[in-house]
Amino acid sequence: MSGPSPSDASSSRAESGLQSHGPAIKVEHIKKAYGDNVVLNDISFELERGRVYVIMGPSGCGKSTLLRAMIGAEEPDAGTVFIDGVDTWAADKKAREEARRKFGVLFQGSALLNALTVAENVALPITRHTDLLKSTVDLMVKLKLELVGMGDAADKYPYEISGGMKKRAGLARAIALDPAIVFFDEPNSGLDPVMVGVIDKLIRDLTIKLGITSVLITHDMASIFRIADEVLMLYGGRIVFRGTPDQLRTTTSPLVRQFVNGDPEGPINAPRQLAELSQALFGASRPVTGEYQAPGERDKP
Amino acid sequence: MALVADNLAALGALINRQLVSLGRAIKFGSNAAVYTGRGILNRRIFPRHDFIVQVDYTGARSVPIMILTGALVGMTLVAQTTPTLARYGPKELVAGVCGVSVLRTFGPVLAAIIFAGRVGAAFTAELGTMKVGEEVLALDTMGIDPVGYLVAPRFAAAVLMLPCLTVLFDAAALLGGFIIAITNFDISASDYLDVTKQFVYISNFTFGLFKSLIFAVLISVICCFKGFSVHGSGMEVGRATMQAVVACLIAIIFGDFLLSLFYNILAKLDIVA
Ligand SMILES: Nc1ncnc2c1ncn2[C@@H]1O[C@H](COP(=O)(O)OP(=O)(O)O)[C@@H](O)[C@H]1O
Ligand SMILES: [Mg+2]
């Protein structure tokens, strides 16, 4: 990608020093393809501070890919991401490290290290980035674990605790360094409804108590309506909807309506059903025209 | 013609891909070595605790299987070679055959193969699972280099432990051979030891250890690299593990061949005996 010149990078950093009220995250013209599979096709948006955002969309539409671009884990083919004014992808490695300290991530499977206890997992980013005394670190860890209601499980190993507890431990680790932004990749997947409620409330509370910006990836409608300030829908490599939960309820877009209502028929599934049918009938993937071709006919010119 | 061209192009693409991943593996390996070196100086790079766990896991727990297989290999070698030797000359010569072949090839190569199957496979499976579970990515976003944190302790443990295990394997094999020779083939202990002293040089042993060091580097780099290259589902972990073990076997046997040629060159230059 063609990064801006160093002077651009430094001026953008200077900007962030001036306006700490600017957007928490600014995504600019991001493109990403895996081979011929264009996953993100020129995506741009800004997210304000102190709010809960949800990015939703069908499975495989590129939500995790977008997340990886935002957290500086996988470089997009084009475009860039500003985290609190720091250009993640144009900046040098040091600036990226700096940007990383501004956010925490709760991964889909919690991504706790199995060789460490819950408390050691939470302590990991703290000991890594600070020179605090062990007693101070222990105190910080205890505080974060209490905040997510995991004070009793500090000395347990990740394989000894349930999925919901893992999520909470992962959340404690994500907020260990008091980040300004927390990303959540499908925080509700694999949880029972009560635990979903617990996690939702936790996210809502943390956003208010700690004043963080939350960016959630989820397609759990109940929890979207419960906690989102604003919803973005990703589909076909683009942002096809952005609005409040109320606007989401009353939208007239057939695409978004189908997703919200969970209708099996509609613009989202139609092409995939045909593709699957063609796959089942003919094996090799052929461009789907929507017309059935008898097996004998498809080799004819 | 078009078919030939197509196949050539496909072959070219295949070779190109292999070379690219070889290049990546070499870069990965040197990265691991650098982190290991820095980890010895700075405990933040990799926690000592992890290193000790790996030493226990890769080294201490491999001791029984190394001794068992070593003894069996030495015993089999002597049992099979002595009758043939006896037909053409003094059967005591088996002491030299056993000593040289164990120290130069059987010890380092077989110990490395066992190590690859036991420890290398575990490296790939563990790291592959961590890759799938986004733990590697999580380390990265916390500003902790996964190569330093996860690969360096394994690399250091393997490089330290495989030569030690090879010494045990060698000792067990030599002892096993010795016991079979004096109990089954009527060779006196003093004759056996005399022949051993005459034919076996200390450089056979030290070069064998050097080989095992190279094998440890190859195994840990290949297996950790394969683990880190897992994308997507858990099923890929199984496939990556299998590929890693196969790649290790090829690397060990091919490496042994090249190193043997190298040894002969050194011998010609009178650097080794
Ligand atoms: N490393 C990769 N290599 C190749 N294709 C990938 C890779 N990661 C994701 N994809 C593809 O990109 C698309 C989007 O994936 P992802 O971002 O994980 O979707 P989501 O999180 O919305 O379910 C999928 O079609 C997936 O197959
Ligand atoms: Mg995903």
Side-chain angles (χ1 to χ4, degrees):
Chain A
M1 53 172 274
S2 60
S5 65
S7 62
D8 288 347
S10 59
S11 72
S12 68
R13 218 168 307 146
E15 252 172 53
S16 84
L18 287 174
Q19 40 172 323
S20 63
H21 54 277
I25 299 165
K26 189 166 151 200
V27 170
E28 263 187 10
H29 302 294
I30 284 212
K31 290 184 185 166
K32 180 77 193 178
Y34 294 107
D36 294 337
N37 180 10
V38 179
V39 179
L40 303 176
N41 189 6
D42 196 7
I43 289 191
S44 302
F45 56 81
E46 286 183 13
L47 305 181
E48 300 303 324
R49 281 157 205 281
R51 309 191 77 197
V52 178
Y53 290 93
V54 166
I55 297 174
M56 64 175 202
S59 294
C61 73
K63 303 183 293 294
S64 295
T65 306
L66 177 60
L67 177 74
R68 287 197 296 270
M70 288 196 284
I71 64 177
E74 192 177 15
E75 187 163 6
D77 300 334
T80 190
V81 177
F82 293 88
I83 299 285
D84 200 15
V86 178
D87 186 340
T88 317
W89 288 113
D92 52 310
K93 212 174 162 196
K94 213 162 165 195
R96 192 171 313 158
E97 289 286 305
E98 185 197 329
R100 272 180 180 169
R101 288 205 48 177
K102 295 176 197 275
F103 63 79
V105 188
L106 173 58
F107 289 93
Q108 199 165 348
S110 306
L112 299 170
L113 295 171
N114 271 315
L116 305 180
T117 64
V118 165
E120 287 167 342
N121 264 288
V122 179
L124 202 57
I126 306 176
T127 50
R128 185 68 191 185
H129 288 290
T130 66
D131 283 316
L132 298 172
L133 289 174
K134 186 168 182 309
S135 54
T136 317
V137 174
D138 287 347
L139 204 65
M140 284 174 76
V141 169
K142 198 163 170 346
L143 201 73
K144 300 298 173 189
L145 284 175
E146 291 294 343
L147 210 52
V148 298
M150 286 282 291
D152 300 337
D155 295 322
K156 290 216 158 70
Y157 283 90
Y159 49 80
E160 295 174 327
I161 60 179
S162 71
M165 291 166 91
K166 276 191 203 173
K167 296 267 180 186
R168 284 188 276 162
L171 182 53
R173 187 178 66 182
I175 59 172
L177 288 171
D178 296 321
I181 303 161
V182 181
F183 294 97
F184 304 80
D185 193 1
E186 308 211 4
N188 295 336
S189 67
L191 298 184
D192 65 70
V194 174
M195 195 46 77
V196 169
V198 170
I199 299 279
D200 281 351
K201 184 164 182 320
L202 210 50
I203 293 171
R204 193 73 246 186
D205 285 354
L206 288 176
T207 307
I208 294 165
K209 274 190 209 154
L210 307 177
I212 58 175
T213 308
S214 295
V215 182
L216 277 82
I217 288 176
T218 183
H219 35 224
D220 182 334
M221 282 304 151
S223 93
I224 289 175
F225 287 122
R226 211 155 34 208
I227 62 172
D229 288 317
E230 224 176 317
V231 182
L232 289 80
M233 180 166 166
L234 187 62
Y235 183 74
R238 294 179 171 279
I239 300 290
V240 292
F241 173 87
R242 176 170 182 164
T244 62
D246 282 336
Q247 288 170 324
L248 186 65
R249 259 192 211 103
T250 55
T251 179
T252 52
S253 153
L255 190 77
V256 183
R257 285 201 70 80
Q258 186 201 349
F259 194 75
V260 172
N261 298 334
D263 294 333
E265 301 296 329
I268 292 178
N269 260 346
R272 179 177 306 166
Q273 278 174 347
L274 271 175
E276 275 166 10
L277 185 65
S278 141
Q279 183 84 20
L281 286 172
F282 306 124
S285 59
R286 286 169 49 80
V288 176
T289 58
E291 270 180 35
Y292 173 72
Q293 281 179 299
E297 257 175 38
R298 68 201 156 101
D299 293 329
K300 288 182 187 166
Chain B
M1 259 332 269
L3 200 66
V4 174
D6 277 357
N7 281 329
L8 272 182
L11 184 68
L14 180 73
I15 291 174
N16 191 21
R17 268 204 309 279
Q18 298 298 332
L19 285 180
V20 167
S21 48
L22 184 67
R24 282 211 198 103
I26 289 171
K27 199 167 154 219
F28 181 86
S30 41
N31 215 351
V34 168
Y35 271 113
T36 306
R38 283 170 51 193
I40 292 166
L41 304 174
N42 176 356
R43 66 171 61 223
R44 271 200 199 184
I45 306 274
F46 70 78
R48 303 281 151 94
H49 168 76
D50 270 19
F51 171 66
I52 290 163
V53 167
Q54 289 302 330
V55 164
D56 172 53
Y57 181 71
T58 62
R61 289 174 200 224
S62 302
V63 167
I65 189 174
M66 289 294 173
I67 291 181
L68 179 71
T69 46
L72 283 169
V73 165
M75 286 155 75
T76 312
L77 199 60
V78 169
Q80 292 189 345
T81 321
T82 314
T84 314
L85 277 176
R87 258 190 275 159
Y88 299 100
K91 60 188 174 189
E92 291 80 13
L93 282 180
V94 76
V97 173
C98 176
V100 171
S101 54
V102 163
L103 293 178
R104 279 192 62 177
T105 279
F106 282 118
V109 168
L110 290 178
I113 286 175
I114 293 167
F115 196 80
R118 209 189 105 77
V119 175
F123 283 178
T124 311
E126 284 166 5
L127 297 183
T129 308
M130 296 183 85
K131 188 78 192 295
V132 172
E134 292 182 315
E135 286 154 62
V136 176
L137 183 58
L139 281 172
D140 208 26
T141 53
M142 286 188 280
I144 300 172
D145 192 296
V147 174
Y149 190 85
L150 297 172
V151 178
R154 287 174 169 78
F155 180 85
V159 167
L160 187 71
M161 293 321 285
L162 183 55
C164 296
L165 292 169
T166 303
V167 172
L168 285 181
F169 189 101
D170 285 350
L174 295 182
L175 194 67
F178 175 70
I179 288 169
I180 287 290
I182 59 174
T183 55
N184 279 26
F185 293 102
D186 206 19
I187 299 171
S188 79
S190 62
D191 283 355
Y192 194 94
L193 292 180
D194 276 350
V195 175
T196 303
K197 267 186 216 148
Q198 218 178 314
F199 280 84
V200 180
Y201 299 101
I202 190 75
S203 61
N204 294 141
F205 170 70
T206 48
F207 196 77
L209 279 195
F210 171 68
K211 272 185 183 176
S212 76
L213 194 77
I214 303 277
F215 296 155
V217 171
L218 290 174
I219 292 168
S220 47
V221 170
I222 289 171
C223 291
C224 293
F225 178 73
K226 271 287 177 191
F228 268 29
S229 64
V230 169
H231 284 294
S233 71
M235 235 173 60
E236 254 201 58
V237 175
R239 193 165 47 199
T241 306
M242 182 199 73
Q243 288 173 347
V245 171
V246 171
C248 282
L249 296 187
I250 294 170
I252 291 165
I253 289 171
F254 194 62
D256 184 52
F257 170 67
L258 292 180
L259 287 167
S260 300
L261 296 183
F262 178 60
Y263 184 91
N264 288 348
I265 292 171
L266 291 184
K268 270 203 191 113
L269 299 173
D270 276 333
I271 296 170
V272 295

